[in-house]
Structures are given as C-alpha cells and as structure tokens.
Amino acid sequence: MTFRIGQKVVCVDAVGSELIFGGVYTIKKVIANLSRWRGVVGNWTAVQLYETAAESPYVGFCSERFKPVDERQTDISIFREMLVEAVDS
C-alpha cells in the first residue's frame, strides 16, 4: 500500500506498540528501508506519524499496521427523494 504525507490512516494492528487499535493517525513521513518486522527481514515501508514519536532504534511504524481512512461523505439524498416520492404517491 502506498501512503502519502498528510494522509489519514487507521491502525489495524497495534500489537506490541504504543498505537491504539482503531486509532486515526496522520502520516508525517514515509520511509522505505530494509528492516525486520515480526521476525521477517524485508523491504518494508515505515511511516512516521504526527501523533506519536518513533522510539530509538526504530525509524517509524511498519505501514502494514495501517489502512487509509475513507474520508468520503456518504450521500443518501437519492434515497430521501425515493422516500418522498413513495409517500406522495
């Protein structure tokens, strides 16, 4: 998953960290590096968050811990129109 600076994300994996499961955070920095996460060495993308500070020796949190927040507003106006039409007829 690709993240961008300023993007809102929700934590989906807080195990062993100071993160809050379901907490919403803002991406401060995106870092691609070779690191270890859950015992596997790989080319993980790490993210730094405005709401937390990375503890040394870590540079950030593995991006696998997050998913993007869907900030689109739900538009139910068409359903309201259908309801008014059904009541009026």
Side-chain angles (χ1 to χ4, degrees):
M1 174 132 333
T2 303
F3 292 112
R4 67 183 187 292
I5 295 170
Q7 182 177 15
K8 296 281 188 186
V9 293
V10 63
C11 176
V12 295
D13 180 355
V15 176
S17 73
E18 65 189 70
L19 299 169
I20 298 170
F21 180 80
V24 176
Y25 299 92
T26 311
I27 303 289
K28 179 178 183 180
K29 188 174 184 181
V30 180
I31 306 157
N33 63 348
L34 182 65
S35 60
R36 177 185 300 269
W37 186 59
R38 305 239 168 163
V40 177
V41 175
N43 196 12
W44 304 104
T45 299
V47 294
Q48 291 180 353
L49 309 167
Y50 281 107
E51 296 81 5
T52 64
E55 296 179 16
S56 182
Y58 305 108
V59 296
F61 297 99
C62 183
S63 64
E64 299 292 318
R65 292 182 178 269
F66 305 96
K67 71 175 186 176
V69 170
D70 186 4
E71 295 180 334
R72 293 178 291 171
Q73 296 294 320
T74 303
D75 181 12
I76 62 168
S77 60
I78 189 168
F79 301 110
R80 289 184 180 174
E81 289 174 26
M82 291 168 56
L83 181 61
V84 169
E85 291 172 10
V87 171
D88 288 343
S89 50

